[in-house]
Amino acid sequence: MALFCLSAAAQQNPQPAQQAKPVAQSITVTTTVEPLPFSESNRSVEVLKPEEQPFLANSVVDLLRVDPSLNLQARAAAGVQADLSIRGTTFEQSLVLLNGFHINDPETGHLNLDIPVPLDAVSRIDVLHGSGSTFYGSDAIGGAVNLITERPAHTSIVARVGGGNYGSMESHLRANYAAKSFAEQLTTARDTSDGFMYDRNYSSNAAASETWLNVLPGSPNSETDILLAASDRPYGANQFYGPYDSWERTKGWFAGIQQQLGERTAASFGYRRHTDLFVLFLGRPQIYENNHVTNAWQSAVRRADALGANTTLSYGIEASGDSINSTNLGIHARNAEAGYANLSLRSLGRFALSVGAREEVISSNGSVFSPSVAAAYTLSHTVRLRASAGHGFRIPTFLDLYYSDPTTIGNPHLKPESSWSYEGGADWTPAGGRVRLSGAVFRLQEKDTIDYSKYSLADKWQANNVQNFNFTGVEAALRVRLSDTQQLQFGYTAARAAEPPAGLISEYAFNYAAQSAQALWTAELGRLLTISNQLMVIQKTAKTAYPLWNVSLSHNMGRVRPYVRLLNLSNTGYEEIPEVRQQGRSVMGGVELSWLARR
């Protein structure tokens, strides 16, 4: 399956004795569709693994919260509906990928995290901080989040059931079959709740099937990967979009195939269909109802050629299209074609360098050129310096362009957003890798940022291009392996935006996390107990900081593992989106059953 299977620990060749050894890295990338493995990008990258927080994170949204540079703005629990921003950017300026396939919804960025697969299907999440448009095209202004699945190594079954307050129930299943030339993984997840207040109930359902097979038995470079997934999430939307007892239901279907064509070439095709039914007043659809149906397809052929022991040229061509049929937005469609190339020089003495560029032609907006460059310098065997710069862009969603209701209107004359991002950072890895400290300073300069804004309270919210929306910030992360069974993590991110134009009232762009800090302690205590203790402190711009404290406890041995998950233990009253109140303290308990086939 692996066109790229590279360890960042081997990004540079061993140096002569008089030179310092490269700093050890810990990121391994395995995927056929990445234009460039994140580990080779000389950028700020985080890798999040569900197995490290097996009971603390119950959804993709929960796991993403481990990275303080990601601002999750949830309207409902269990990842039912949430917005994602990276380094202070808006909720539509971050790209969500599934095995390299775009998952962002062309209707609205509010649905980008309506993930079609359960968290149980995800092996890890790679998070790129900073512009990723050179690699992935539109939307990756703040960064990119890539959910990656993995071929199972063993035949096994894992089932989990639990219940808690607010009438909450959860049931998850993962069944794996592994053979030499064939593997299959089936995953399902169902999370429901009566809600902590009127009209905030939800039912989150997802299922996925992924098949790996070798079309040429005996050849490791002919693997086919087929992923099928579907989701169905009805939920009460009280106060989500104003003082209304609304209701919404989203459904998603995804199909993707990746084919390895020899050692260095891969082809892929993906299709996604998504529906969004919104009723303004619960039980009274005749007053106001919107029904949106989007379709999106994407295809790519990618290749990576080794030009030397430490030099790789990655290049490829892509084509994509999306359309919408909506009772409010009308019927629209657009398509795009792109080509990219990236040259990665992993060792030039102490230096490493990556230079890339992308040209994308969009039927609705013309062409966009997105270059990027990143470099690293090994200062000593424990210290590595890095810097990067890159161009990003985003084309407007269909909702940005065509939406209309009594309080909000779109703008068909919107220009695409564009940006330049810059960062400089350092990684320090002393104590044989037991300690890792990383830090970066970043700058994002945007042009034609799309925001819903107005200049008078009596006016409607309207999508407009806003100029000079720039960010400056810092991020730092410390990971300490206290022992073979204990790990401590600290993270901090701060971002500051330029002042808005005089008199401008913004609905979304200035609701970013000005500061976010996190401490996470994970430990196996003896042979019986695993504990994860997560403390987050978040300050939204011009708001008071608030804490969130989450804890999970689980039995860590045997086929039967009882668990308890305690969320918002401090019972903090808070809002991640203005006027959308979040639930207080919640308790979930259950049991996980597992079976592993003997070899």
Side-chain angles (χ1 to χ4, degrees):
M1 170 68 182
L3 174 62
F4 305 113
C5 185
L6 304 173
S7 170
Q11 284 185 20
Q12 303 186 41
N13 277 355
Q15 303 299 313
Q18 70 271 20
Q19 294 187 356
K21 296 180 180 179
V23 177
Q25 307 286 309
S26 59
I27 300 170
T28 302
V29 175
T30 307
T31 173
T32 60
V33 295
E34 280 191 294
L36 175 72
F38 284 176
S39 61
E40 285 194 38
S41 64
N42 297 313
R43 304 275 297 278
S44 294
V45 176
E46 289 291 329
V47 178
L48 310 176
K49 296 183 177 181
E51 65 183 21
E52 294 180 353
Q53 314 297 334
F55 298 102
L56 187 66
N58 190 52
S59 69
V60 170
V61 171
D62 293 339
L63 186 58
L64 291 176
R65 292 185 188 276
V66 173
D67 185 347
S69 288
L70 308 188
N71 180 24
L72 280 302
Q73 303 174 30
R75 289 180 170 84
V80 169
Q81 194 192 85
D83 295 341
L84 168 68
S85 73
I86 301 177
R87 288 180 168 177
T89 54
T90 71
F91 67 93
E92 293 187 313
Q93 294 178 328
S94 300
L95 179 61
V96 181
L97 304 155
L98 174 59
N99 287 341
F101 290 108
H102 288 220
I103 297 298
N104 279 27
D105 193 83
E107 176 200 338
T108 172
H110 289 311
L111 302 175
N112 289 348
L113 286 176
D114 198 9
I115 307 296
V117 300
L119 177 62
D120 308 78
V122 177
S123 172
R124 74 177 194 273
I125 302 177
D126 290 353
V127 182
L128 174 67
H129 299 173
S131 175
S133 288
T134 299
F135 310 132
Y136 293 109
S138 180
D139 300 350
I141 286 179
V145 169
N146 193 5
L147 283 66
I148 297 176
T149 62
E150 186 175 73
R151 178 173 180 152
H154 307 281
T155 298
S156 62
I157 298 175
V158 179
R160 185 169 82 239
V161 293
N165 56 339
Y166 307 121
S168 301
M169 298 291 293
E170 61 184 30
S171 55
H172 295 230
L173 174 68
R174 181 176 66 250
N176 295 331
Y177 174 78
K180 185 175 182 181
S181 59
F182 175 83
E184 172 69 27
Q185 182 178 81
L186 297 173
T187 53
T188 65
R190 177 175 172 82
D191 299 278
T192 63
S193 173
D194 295 336
F196 71 99
M197 60 181 288
Y198 168 69
D199 189 32
R200 293 291 288 275
N201 57 307
Y202 62 81
S203 177
S204 178
N205 309 278
S209 167
E210 188 163 13
T211 304
W212 295 263
L213 56 92
N214 291 331
V215 293
L216 298 175
S219 172
N221 300 314
S222 63
E223 187 171 74
T224 303
D225 180 357
I226 302 171
L227 174 61
L228 304 174
S231 62
D232 183 6
R233 296 183 172 101
Y235 50 89
N238 189 6
Q239 301 180 14
F240 279 18
Y241 305 105
Y244 313 110
D245 58 341
S246 304
W247 182 85
E248 194 162 3
R249 183 174 190 174
T250 63
K251 295 182 180 181
W253 299 264
F254 177 82
I257 181 170
Q258 303 174 45
Q259 178 64 55
Q260 194 153 345
L261 305 171
E263 183 180 356
R264 296 184 297 273
T265 307
S268 61
F269 180 83
Y271 171 77
R272 179 178 182 266
R273 179 180 175 86
H274 191 269
T275 66
D276 176 20
L277 174 62
F278 176 75
V279 176
L280 184 62
F281 298 102
L282 180 65
R284 292 172 288 173
Q286 68 278 9
I287 298 178
Y288 188 89
E289 176 183 296
N290 285 333
N291 196 344
H292 315 282
V293 180
T294 59
N295 293 278
W297 62 270
Q298 54 199 289
S299 60
V301 177
R302 311 189 190 280
R303 185 174 173 85
D305 287 326
L307 304 184
N310 302 300
T311 304
T312 301
L313 177 64
S314 304
Y315 54 96
I317 56 174
E318 304 172 4
S320 62
D322 49 55
S323 63
I324 189 167
N325 188 333
S326 166
T327 56
N328 183 291
L329 310 178
I331 300 175
H332 307 277
R334 58 195 178 195
N335 55 64
E337 297 80 34
Y340 71 88
N342 189 90
L343 182 66
S344 176
L345 297 97
R346 294 183 292 279
S347 180
L348 298 172
R350 291 174 178 261
F351 286 94
L353 179 68
S354 175
V355 181
R358 178 190 188 92
E359 180 75 17
E360 184 154 349
V361 180
I362 306 165
S363 62
S364 59
N365 299 100
S367 62
V368 182
F369 180 66
S370 298
S372 67
V373 60
Y377 178 74
T378 301
L379 190 63
S380 71
H381 72 283
T382 61
V383 179
R384 187 170 185 258
L385 308 178
R386 51 186 164 79
S388 65
H391 179 267
F393 72 96
R394 181 180 82 85
I395 60 176
T397 63
F398 289 124
L399 188 142
D400 292 336
L401 295 167
Y402 307 115
Y403 187 70
S404 177
D405 71 17
T407 63
T408 306
I409 54 176
N411 184 349
H413 304 294
L414 288 172
K415 301 176 183 178
E417 299 177 333
S418 63
S419 69
W420 281 97
S421 67
Y422 310 90
E423 73 173 66
D427 304 314
W428 180 50
T429 315
R434 285 186 173 272
V435 177
R436 178 177 172 82
L437 175 63
S438 298
V441 178
F442 59 86
R443 170 75 173 175
L444 180 66
Q445 296 179 237
E446 299 186 34
K447 179 181 178 182
D448 294 320
T449 303
I450 298 172
D451 187 29
Y452 289 81
S453 58
K454 56 187 177 181
Y455 282 91
S456 170
L457 293 175
D459 294 339
K460 292 183 177 182
W461 294 109
Q462 182 172 20
N464 291 301
N465 288 116
V466 179
Q467 301 305 319
N468 302 318
F469 187 62
N470 304 323
F471 275 98
T472 302
V474 298
E475 61 185 15
L478 173 64
R479 183 187 296 257
V480 181
R481 194 167 71 246
L482 302 174
S483 68
D484 291 340
T485 59
Q486 293 192 58
Q487 181 170 274
L488 191 60
Q489 296 175 232
F490 297 97
Y492 175 78
T493 300
R496 181 180 177 84
E499 293 296 323
L504 181 73
I505 305 172
S506 170
E507 185 173 14
Y508 294 116
F510 290 88
N511 181 43
Y512 62 91
Q515 297 187 87
S516 178
Q518 181 172 165
L520 176 62
W521 174 58
T522 304
E524 294 181 8
L525 305 180
R527 296 174 58 87
L528 296 178
L529 184 65
T530 297
I531 180 170
S532 293
N533 195 342
Q534 180 187 46
L535 177 62
M536 299 177 286
V537 180
I538 302 166
Q539 182 197 2
K540 295 294 185 69
T541 179
K543 303 290 185 181
T544 302
Y546 60 87
L548 292 174
W549 182 23
N550 304 321
V551 175
S552 71
L553 304 168
S554 63
H555 190 287
N556 62 7
M557 298 291 290
R559 296 181 178 181
V560 180
R561 301 179 64 186
Y563 68 91
V564 176
R565 182 168 61 252
L566 311 168
L567 301 180
N568 193 7
L569 270 174
S570 56
N571 203 33
T572 301
Y574 68 103
E575 299 173 353
E576 295 183 331
I577 293 177
E579 309 301 327
V580 182
R581 186 158 59 95
Q582 295 298 299
Q583 71 182 26
R585 184 184 298 113
S586 66
V587 180
M588 179 73 73
V591 62
E592 181 180 272
L593 309 175
S594 62
W595 171 81
L596 177 65
R598 295 182 178 179
R599 286 184 174 272

